[in-house]
Amino acid sequence: MGRHTLEGNPPIEVNLRKSTRARRLSLRISRLDGRVTLTLPRFTAEREGIAFLKAKEAWLRTHLHDVAPPSAVAVGTELMVRGQLLPVVTGDAKRVQITTSEICVPDQATAAVRIKAQLRHLARDALAAASDRYAAKVGRHYTRLTLRDTRSRWGSCSSNGTLMYSWRLIMAPPDVLDYVAAHEVAHLVEMNHSPAYWDVVGALYPDYERPRQWLRDNGDQLHRFRFDN
């Protein structure tokens, strides 16, 4: 449908979309980038949607204020790794070195791309180790492990046994990464989310509700880090 600008200080750009499945007007703020979307049912007039938007202006501005802005990874910024915010600094190292206290890069110009490559490497090692461990526990084998930068899910398991994970899980606390691996490996046994499936998850990771809740509460923070030079 296009866009509408909600005047004010500051003005707010709102994406307008119509949906054949929507039953009511709804307003959504992306916790990843603060993008605002107003969804209208198919036969709802645009003027009705704009009136709804204006009525929700105070709510909208309050919640936009709470959205963390994107953070470009560079020397002098902080990046979350294994649940800890670490400063990015330059040093004499020839490659990226991630310790418990800092992320050291050879130069500023290539900091973001080098750090991203190192995080992907660490994520693959950690997720492969966790997947191997849980697959052995259930007596199943996965066929392949891939990494992506997905926003809609942290992992998946295909019917042919391919495991897919978001490499950004390496930024989360280690127990969160472990839980996601257990969650996906459990699908090698039950390709559904039935009670039987959750029994498998519970057997692999008994305290799964805690890391699962962490992702619900904080997962969007992992996506606010930008690695574009």
Side-chain angles (χ1 to χ4, degrees), residues 130-171:
S131 298
D132 289 348
R133 186 169 67 253
Y134 292 126
K137 285 186 176 181
V138 296
R140 301 295 175 91
H141 298 279
Y142 60 91
T143 57
R144 191 161 61 104
L145 188 153
T146 64
L147 297 181
R148 296 181 185 174
D149 193 5
T150 52
R151 292 192 174 193
S152 60
R153 58 178 62 186
W154 296 108
S156 65
C157 177
S158 69
S159 58
N160 66 1
T162 296
L163 299 178
M164 183 283 295
Y165 297 106
S166 167
W167 62 264
R168 288 179 184 261
L169 285 167
I170 196 63
M171 300 181 191

Side-chain angles (χ1 to χ4, degrees), residues 71-74 76-80 85-88 103 224-225:
S71 177
V73 176
T77 64
E78 289 186 319
L79 173 64
M80 186 178 291
L85 279 174
L86 303 177
V88 179
I103 302 170
R224 73 181 181 90
F225 297 103

Side-chain angles (χ1 to χ4, degrees), residues 17-164:
R17 62 181 290 267
K18 283 205 171 183
S19 169
T20 57
R21 300 170 62 182
R23 294 293 178 265
R24 58 185 178 82
L25 290 159
S26 65
L27 194 59
R28 179 179 177 274
I29 303 172
S30 170
R31 295 182 66 183
L32 301 180
D33 54 16
R35 184 177 303 174
V36 180
T37 302
L38 174 64
T39 301
L40 298 79
R42 182 179 179 183
F43 297 110
T44 299
E46 183 174 328
R47 64 177 180 278
E48 185 177 342
I50 301 304
F52 174 82
L53 178 62
K54 291 179 178 178
K56 294 290 185 179
E57 181 176 357
W59 174 91
L60 180 59
R61 292 188 180 278
T62 297
H63 283 73
L64 278 173
H65 186 267
D66 295 335
V67 176
S71 177
V73 176
V75 173
T77 64
E78 289 186 319
L79 173 64
M80 186 178 291
V81 180
R82 299 189 180 99
Q84 300 295 320
L85 279 174
L86 303 177
V88 179
V89 302
T90 54
D92 296 330
K94 294 183 179 180
R95 59 185 180 84
V96 175
Q97 293 184 343
I98 300 177
T99 69
T100 56
S101 60
E102 66 182 17
I103 302 170
C104 186
V105 296
D107 62 84
Q108 182 168 340
T110 61
V113 67
R114 285 174 178 260
I115 292 172
K116 180 179 178 179
Q118 181 66 2
L119 290 180
R120 287 182 64 96
H121 176 74
L122 294 175
R124 177 172 291 278
D125 285 351
L127 287 162
S131 298
D132 289 348
R133 186 169 67 253
Y134 292 126
K137 285 186 176 181
V138 296
R140 301 295 175 91
H141 298 279
Y142 60 91
T143 57
R144 191 161 61 104
L145 188 153
T146 64
L147 297 181
R148 296 181 185 174
D149 193 5
T150 52
R151 292 192 174 193
S152 60
R153 58 178 62 186
W154 296 108
S156 65
C157 177
S158 69
S159 58
N160 66 1
T162 296
L163 299 178
M164 183 283 295

